[in-house]
Amino acid sequence: MTPELNLAAPEFRADPYPTYARLRKTSPIITLHRPFVGRAWLLTRYEDVVNALLDPRLASSRHNAVGGRNPTDRWWMPRLFRTFQTNMVASDPPDHRRLRDLVHKAFTPRRVEELKGTMERLVSRLLDEAAEKRSIDLLSEFAAPLALTVISAMMGVPEEDRPRFRRWTSRLLDSKLETPLDFIRRFPSASRMLGFFRELIRLHREHPGEDLLTGLVQAEEQGDRLGEDELISMIFLLLLAGHDTLVNLIGNGMLALLQNPDQLQKLREHPELIGSAVEELLRYTSPIEMPTPRFAREDIELHGQHIPRGAMVVPILASANRDEAVFENADRLDITRHPNRHVAFGLGAHYCMGAPLARLEGKIALLALVSRFPETRLAVPREQLRWRGSLGPRGLTSLPLHLS
Ligand code: HEM
């Protein structure tokens, strides 16, 4: 018998970990029927998650796995949403390599290291502004402006457009996106976002610069390297993945530190631990709870269960990251944990392209926060914190703090 699991329930969003722990013991693979998306096979153990991410029998696009339509490609879905989904995360070789090769050079550790000074100055300025206010929402007044400024500068998005983009993103991600009604509700934000991307493309076509967007627009003009939908989808993916995940790392990470004052104290006394602290916060808080689904190219047997060809398989990263079989005292935050083989950035061909950027930005932001405001505390009771309803990314709607 598979236990019932409502992924969208607010109490589950608030703390999925006890449920995942139970599932790892009793039902390492469960099936769920998700309305409009269909049946999904969820994997909760570290070993199964790792194997799935590396398994060539699983494709990232259902179309590539078994032909036909992708489950999110329904007749009722506005074309606009399909445009957003023609991206590298949902693609397989050879398209995946072609798309990844177009941009990966901008995200290598060496290129990212060149941005360090800019990030430090930006963090310092944002914290100066925050210090004047004393109480802030860490997400909208620090993490989001920081993350958006960095990725927008790399891409070439004008400064005045960034807050609008953040607003649309929040509207798209604050709750789950599965039923026709969910899509209808999000249509206005998505449609404005599409208009905004078209405008950005026009701007970069007319005024080429040194940025990533210019490179992509030029690749699209050459025709064979990037189609128009792919260009739009790439801009969407990079802007979204490049900032929203970091907001979640900074928000979830800061909350975890506040809830574990001994670890916070240790980090203040030993700032040199920031590297392993960020790895541990990635493991402990999993800013991406579940990656994009995979699809079985053939029948697969696992733990006595039959996963039929074409089935949707979801390896749960957040559950793998708390698996006691791999991490001792997995539910304990330990900023000195070593080794720490978390899968917060995924694994295999789709391993997070922005990992070097996320690590560097996360380190600079969190270290500056804890060093500069040693007495920071939550400005609301913990029970009032709300988690977004989106499945995939895991983050708070806001994190009100008193800085001191
Ligand atoms: C804490 C921050 C971040 C986390 C936890 C994270 C997590 C992930 C995960 C789990 C995947 C794999 C998805 C899959 O297998 O389906 C992924 C892919 C990706 N990430 Fe990140 N990410 C972060 C930050 C970033 C940043 C800053 C960027 C910059 C643009 C970025 C760009 C990407 C891209 C382009 C992919 C797709 C790679 C591919 O399909 O080959 N990510 N990320």
Side-chain angles (χ1 to χ4, degrees):
M1 259 293 278
T2 304
E4 268 309 307
L5 180 60
N6 179 359
L7 296 175
E11 53 285 6
F12 181 76
R13 305 303 314 135
D15 187 8
Y17 292 107
T19 309
Y20 288 149
R22 184 168 49 78
L23 293 174
R24 282 194 304 274
K25 277 205 188 86
T26 59
S27 324
I29 168 163
I30 59 164
T31 61
L32 276 187
H33 189 81
R34 292 173 54 189
F36 299 97
V37 178
R39 187 168 286 281
W41 275 253
L42 272 56
L43 311 179
T44 54
R45 286 187 187 161
Y46 183 92
E47 193 188 354
D48 296 334
V49 166
V50 165
N51 288 342
L53 292 172
L54 300 174
D55 193 337
R57 293 173 302 170
L58 295 174
S60 293
S61 142
R62 188 171 197 276
H63 176 78
N64 293 338
V66 288
R69 288 173 164 218
N70 281 320
T72 44
D73 188 4
R74 297 299 172 98
W75 60 266
W76 45 263
M77 184 183 284
R79 189 181 129 66
L80 153 70
F81 287 94
R82 290 182 224 164
T83 305
F84 285 154
Q85 290 176 1
T86 324
N87 64 46
M88 78 175 95
V89 205
S91 67
D92 296 290
D95 287 334
H96 174 253
R97 185 41 60 201
R98 172 176 57 83
L99 294 170
R100 195 164 162 128
D101 280 353
L102 281 169
V103 281
H104 93 272
K105 280 201 197 83
F107 295 94
T108 59
R110 196 175 56 78
R111 286 293 294 276
V112 164
E113 196 60 32
E114 291 166 12
L115 301 172
K116 192 171 175 213
T118 315
M119 287 181 200
E120 285 170 342
R121 281 190 295 279
L122 184 58
V123 164
S124 184
R125 179 168 66 72
L126 287 167
L127 291 185
D128 285 346
E129 288 167 17
E132 280 172 22
K133 295 185 200 152
R134 308 298 261 178
S135 290
I136 62 160
D137 166 24
L138 189 75
L139 307 191
S140 62
E141 295 177 80
F142 174 72
L146 167 68
L148 251 186
T149 304
V150 172
I151 190 70
S152 301
M154 291 174 84
M155 304 266 309
V157 177
E159 211 168 323
E160 61 275 16
D161 291 328
R162 298 169 192 170
R164 284 196 291 158
F165 178 73
R166 174 69 194 162
R167 263 199 317 279
W168 296 324
T169 312
S170 298
R171 278 185 209 140
L172 285 179
L173 294 183
D174 275 352
S175 51
K176 67 176 177 47
L177 199 51
E178 278 181 357
T179 67
L181 199 62
D182 295 337
F183 282 92
I184 290 166
R185 284 206 194 99
R186 300 313 187 298
F187 193 82
S189 301
S191 160
R192 282 187 207 114
M193 206 187 266
L194 183 64
F196 165 60
F197 292 154
R198 289 202 196 288
E199 183 56 27
L200 274 179
I201 293 168
R202 192 188 55 77
L203 196 79
H204 286 75
R205 202 161 267 152
E206 288 169 11
H207 308 283
E210 293 291 305
D211 47 64
L212 254 173
L213 243 156
T214 301
L216 290 170
V217 167
Q218 287 169 352
E220 195 255 340
E221 280 165 354
Q222 289 164 17
D224 55 340
R225 291 208 293 154
L226 191 65
E228 197 196 341
D229 279 1
E230 288 177 330
L231 170 61
I232 288 172
S233 205
M234 178 79 92
I235 300 173
F236 179 56
L237 173 69
L238 294 179
L239 277 177
L240 185 71
H243 97 276
D244 193 67
T245 46
L246 258 158
V247 173
N248 291 343
L249 171 61
I250 296 171
N252 302 356
M254 194 62 202
L255 179 64
L257 286 170
L258 290 171
Q259 288 172 339
N260 292 272
D262 60 321
Q263 298 300 301
L264 181 54
Q265 183 64 20
K266 194 183 267 183
L267 182 56
R268 279 197 196 109
E269 287 166 7
H270 299 280
E272 71 280 6
L273 289 176
I274 188 63
S276 70
V278 165
E279 295 310 311
E280 176 66 346
L281 292 169
L282 281 161
R283 179 193 76 83
Y284 189 80
T285 73
S286 296
I288 298 283
E289 186 172 346
M290 305 172 201
T292 39
R294 306 310 204 246
F295 299 92
R297 293 180 194 270
E298 54 188 79
D299 291 354
I300 296 175
E301 299 297 324
L302 186 63
H303 300 301
Q305 293 220 33
H306 177 73
I307 304 177
R309 180 171 176 269
M312 184 194 300
V313 178
V314 182
I316 305 182
L317 306 177
S319 177
N321 281 337
R322 296 284 189 106
D323 192 336
E324 288 281 347
V326 178
F327 303 99
E328 216 181 305
N329 295 321
D331 283 330
R332 223 187 75 207
L333 181 75
D334 172 6
I335 63 165
T336 62
R337 189 179 289 277
H338 183 81
N340 191 342
R341 297 196 311 273
H342 68 75
V343 285
F345 288 125
L347 215 60
H350 293 277
Y351 180 79
C352 176
M353 211 182 59
L357 180 65
R359 286 191 160 112
L360 182 64
E361 217 168 318
K363 282 195 279 190
I364 294 173
L366 286 165
L367 190 59
L369 259 173
V370 303
S371 330
R372 191 153 162 191
F373 302 105
E375 304 297 327
T376 294
R377 55 193 160 63
L378 276 180
V380 294
R382 195 191 151 184
E383 310 73 62
Q384 278 181 25
L385 294 176
R386 291 281 165 270
W387 293 83
R388 291 154 120 192
S390 56
L391 306 176
R394 177 171 155 74
L396 293 156
T397 54
S398 67
L399 182 58
L401 295 182
H402 285 308
L403 301 175
S404 59

